[in-house]
Amino acid sequence: LTEGQEEFNLFIYSNPSRTDLIGKSETIIINDTSKTPQKIVKLTANPSSVKEGKDFNINFKTKNIDPGTQLFWRGSGTADSSDLILFNGSPASAGEVVIDTNERAVVNFEVVEDFTTEGDEVFTLTAFNDSNFISPASDPISVLIQDTSQGI
């Protein structure tokens, strides 16, 4: 527990009712050297490379983050919102997760098989502490999306 600096004084009395002060110490300063545990968010992709028409997960594994804590995520990279959807059908550009009692969360993505030859693309996800995406909570994780379309 981080408490900050504290002070201590020792008073010595000659009687049990503590009315006859016979000595006291200088103020003793107690420096708090404990550290607030660092909050950690580690992202993993499963799989890290996926073909169009398939799905993948981004797993959030945390440490020192309370269950029920909300984290926010944002996608970036060469893959755009037309290339990915969430399993609930929503665009996969940004969202939120709630950390469970095992200090984990997962986001499921589906890669759209668009039959357009684009070449391989990259989807990168970063977790944030805030809904304005200002305070990163993690290093980014990337997934390679392999284009399966055939050119004419």
Side-chain angles (χ1 to χ4, degrees), residues 41-129:
V41 177
K42 181 169 176 44
L43 303 177
T44 57
N46 184 25
S48 60
S49 179
V50 63
K51 293 181 179 180
E52 288 182 334
K54 302 294 182 184
D55 56 81
F56 67 94
N57 298 327
I58 300 291
N59 299 292
F60 291 63
K61 184 177 179 186
T62 68
K63 186 173 180 183
N64 300 318
I65 295 180
D66 294 330
T69 298
Q70 194 173 34
L71 293 175
F72 302 88
W73 60 267
R74 182 169 59 186
S76 61
T78 54
D80 62 32
S81 60
S82 67
D83 294 311
L84 298 168
I85 56 172
L86 298 173
F87 269 91
N88 65 8
S90 300
S93 55
E96 60 192 53
V97 296
V98 176
I99 302 305
D100 68 16
T101 56
N102 295 316
E103 297 187 281
R104 296 174 185 265
V106 64
V107 181
N108 309 96
F109 295 92
E110 185 177 328
V111 181
V112 176
E113 189 170 14
D114 58 10
F115 304 104
T116 303
T117 304
E118 309 164 291
D120 292 348
E121 298 177 285
V122 175
F123 174 73
T124 301
L125 184 142
T126 305
F128 291 86
N129 294 304

Side-chain angles (χ1 to χ4, degrees), residues 1-2 34-40 63-65 103:
L1 180 63
T2 305
S34 57
K35 297 186 185 328
T36 301
Q38 182 181 5
K39 295 180 178 185
I40 298 170
K63 186 173 180 183
N64 300 318
I65 295 180
E103 297 187 281

Side-chain angles (χ1 to χ4, degrees), residues 24 79 123 132-133 151:
K24 68 178 185 176
F123 174 73
N132 294 322
F133 310 112

